[in-house]
């Protein structure tokens, strides 16, 4: 796992360097465990990862209201006073989360996150935990 985190560090740094105003970037498992981080301390990354797990669960519940889809959360964007929060599915049971300052180019963030997930999404997947439904 340590090697995986090291490999992800440069990928997350590349995202941060390509989009001005990004504040925190984390990769997390579906159950809210931080897998990698950039631009933030471990405590903040852990809090965000835990919050993201609840948010993706809530988004999936809302997604069930669309019978033509599969109900899976793809992207959640929240605008708050001071900035934006993005949560994107990034492989099986893995997510990419970004917090950005208010002046960020919102479209560019989404595009770069999608590009990163398309390039390395399979490497961001996490195995199902014991007793977890895939």
């Amino acid at each position: 796992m340590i090697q995986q985190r090291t490999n992800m560090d440069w990928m997350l740094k590349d995202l941060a360097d390509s989009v001005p105003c990004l504040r925190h970037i984390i990769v997390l498992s579906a159950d809210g465990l931080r897998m990698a981080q950039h631009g933030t301390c471990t405590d903040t990354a852990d809090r965000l990862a835990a919050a993201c797990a609840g948010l993706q669960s809530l988004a999936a519940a809302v997604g069930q209201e669309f019978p033509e889809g599969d109900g899976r959360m793809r992207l959640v964007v929240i605008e708050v006073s001071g900035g934006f929060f993005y949560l994107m599915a990034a492989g099986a049971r893995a997510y990419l989360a970004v917090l950005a300052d208010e002046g960020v180019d919102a479209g560019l963030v989404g595009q770069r996150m999608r590009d990163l997930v398309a390039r390395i999404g399979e490497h961001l997947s996490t195995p199902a935990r014991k007793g977890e439904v895939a």
Side-chain angles (χ1 to χ4, degrees), residues 23-87:
R23 189 177 280 234
H24 307 292
I25 304 170
I26 61 171
V27 176
L28 62 133
S29 64
D31 54 359
L33 297 177
R34 172 188 41 85
M35 297 168 55
Q37 69 195 57
H38 179 77
T40 189
C41 70
T42 300
D43 288 342
T44 299
D46 286 342
R47 278 194 316 274
L48 289 171
C52 289
L55 186 56
Q56 65 85 19
S57 180
L58 178 62
V62 171
Q64 295 299 318
E65 298 303 316
F66 295 92
E68 62 278 355
D70 60 10
R72 292 184 184 184
M73 188 278 300
R74 292 186 201 162
L75 175 66
V76 172
V77 179
I78 299 174
E79 181 178 2
V80 296
S81 173
F84 295 88
F85 168 77
Y86 299 82
L87 179 63

Side-chain angles (χ1 to χ4, degrees), residues 4 8-9 11 16-17 23 25 32 36 41-42 63 71-72 80-82 87-88 92 101 111 113 115 119-120 122:
Q4 182 180 7
M8 278 194 250
D9 288 349
M11 293 180 268
D17 290 347
R23 189 177 280 234
I25 304 170
C41 70
T42 300
R72 292 184 184 184
V80 296
S81 173
L87 179 63
M88 182 178 284
D101 292 331
Q111 176 187 358
M113 288 177 72
D115 291 348
R119 284 192 334 241
I120 54 140
E122 66 189 42

